[in-house]
Amino acid sequence: MRLIHISDLHLTDLSTAGLQEIRGKRRLGHFSWRGRRRHRHLPVYLDALRRAVQDAQPDFIVITGDLIHIGLPSELAAAADWLEGLAPPSKILVTPGNHDLYAEDSWAACERHWGGYLHLSPPAGGASEAPFRRGFPSHVCFDGIDLYGLNTGCPTPMGAASGRLGSDQRQRLQSLMKQAPAGTLKVVALHHAPVRGVMPGRKALTDASALETVLADAHLVLHGHGHWSRSYRCGAARVFAVGSASTVDAAFRQFDIDGQGSTVHVRMSLHVRAADDDGFALSEEAAFSVSTGC
């Protein structure tokens, strides 16, 4: 199986957003877009990455959030159009980021426009759990591979870009992974970094310490949010972050997964946009084996 991971597309143009839409925290986000983000996140880079990803002919694509800027319903609709041009929902999993669920009205539009790309599970959780967490983790199964999508995005106060899973979502993830048959490669996807200390406090996952315990059953963890490409460990799990898909150094990770039974072989390759053209060059490569039990 060939799995490709991209993140932090920030693909929308806010130049036509009406003043009535830009209220509260969105004013700060719109100011950031006008000042910096519209000059850094460019369609030409994102289009080049889309072509490179399609040329790689992946079996499945994971997008770990921040497809847009300030969570406007019009942005969520525009992102759906972009996703349709990439691949059908059967080949893509989207996990929301903090920019996708920027405000209280973002989730309803996210669920409506992104629909099948979220692969939501049947709603669970009690009345005390926020609606945008009840369908997570999403759970996509392949032959010998289970993919779990978490939602760390949630509306936050002015100036904050933090995330949170909540105890119910963490418990459901733990239960799902415990139920996986022996020999299953368990891959967890989320937007925020799953480990404490990786991001500054205002951008951190607030319940990362509790998640780290749950991830003891995971093999691979994929995330974005930092706009950089790094790899590190969370216990025995290998964690891979990927940079933004729409900047001058746009990047994607490719995982070629093979094997069955107690050992799965993975070849990871990081592809970064070449400085002199729209092509992507191999920047990093690693091959490793994962023990999945028997």
Side-chain angles (χ1 to χ4, degrees), residues 5-6 26 37 39 88 92 152 184 205 208 230 232 236 250 253 261:
H5 174 211
I6 64 176
R26 282 183 171 135
R37 291 184 180 272
H39 303 297
I92 299 177
T152 60
T184 300
L205 184 67
R230 299 179 185 175
Y232 53 98
R253 286 192 188 272

Side-chain angles (χ1 to χ4, degrees), residues 271-291:
H271 303 261
V272 178
R273 180 182 173 274
D276 55 348
D277 58 32
D278 286 336
F280 281 71
L282 179 64
S283 174
E284 176 188 340
E285 194 170 23
F288 53 91
S289 297
V290 176
S291 176

